[in-house]
Amino acid sequence: MSPTTLTDAPFSLVVDEQGVLKPATSTVERRLSQMKGMYHDAAAEDQLLAGDDPLVYEVFQYDMPEHVGELVVCTTLLYPGRVGDEFFMTKGHYHEQRDRAEVYYGLSGEGQLVVAYEGQHHTVAMGPKTVAYVPPHWAHRTVNTGDEPFVFLAVYHGDAGHDYGSIETEGFPQRVLDRDGSVAIVPQGEL
Ligand code: M6P
Ligand code: ZN
């Protein structure tokens, strides 16, 4: 790609009170029906789907050229809720270009960042003003462990891309559950 196709002027964006990025050039609205099979309690999922198919999260993004030298900015509003005992979470993904890192910055609410790579896994607690780093190669997902929206800003390389298929097949090795009002991080094998 020639340098002339790169962004060549500065600009600014605003994050409003709710966490909506303005302007956004693309948005994602993820309902439970678009995450079928990702929560461990299938009966609880069916029950919610038979009801109002809750909105789990929204992403407001300012798209950029798909080039490693560019940085995409987006905000995620991950709503409070549970499917059975499992807190609302994002689908999670690897980057198509695996060696691209990402930075998250907590704006409001409370959550966990869950990362996984080749059998290893970690969780990072996030709240307002937390800067969390997703290393290159690691699959990543966020979970809302609170009772208000968990809102965070993300910055990642323009050419990173989202690979949902691989982690959907593998599954994240850890789940974040509400156990009698406490946040429990439970290995998938111990459910
Ligand atoms: C963060 C970033 C985005 C991602 C969003 C929702 O804001 O990592 O790139 O799209 O979370 O996560 P997912 O794409 O896994 O549903
Ligand atoms: Zn990412």
Side-chain angles (χ1 to χ4, degrees), residues 15 17 32 35 37 39-40 74 91 121 123-124 146 156 168:
V15 180
E17 292 287 299
L32 183 60
M35 305 179 72
Y39 292 88
H40 80 91
C74 65
K91 285 177 74 164
H121 45 80
T123 54
V124 178
Y156 61 97
E168 217 170 314

Side-chain angles (χ1 to χ4, degrees), residues 12-54:
S12 65
L13 307 167
V14 170
V15 180
D16 79 7
E17 292 287 299
Q18 279 67 47
V20 175
L21 184 68
K22 293 183 172 171
T25 54
S26 65
T27 58
V28 173
E29 197 186 82
R30 197 86 74 196
R31 293 188 175 274
L32 183 60
S33 56
Q34 295 161 302
M35 305 179 72
K36 261 193 146 305
M38 289 192 170
Y39 292 88
H40 80 91
D41 186 340
E45 182 185 270
D46 285 347
Q47 207 174 357
L48 284 169
L49 289 176
D52 61 355
D53 187 12

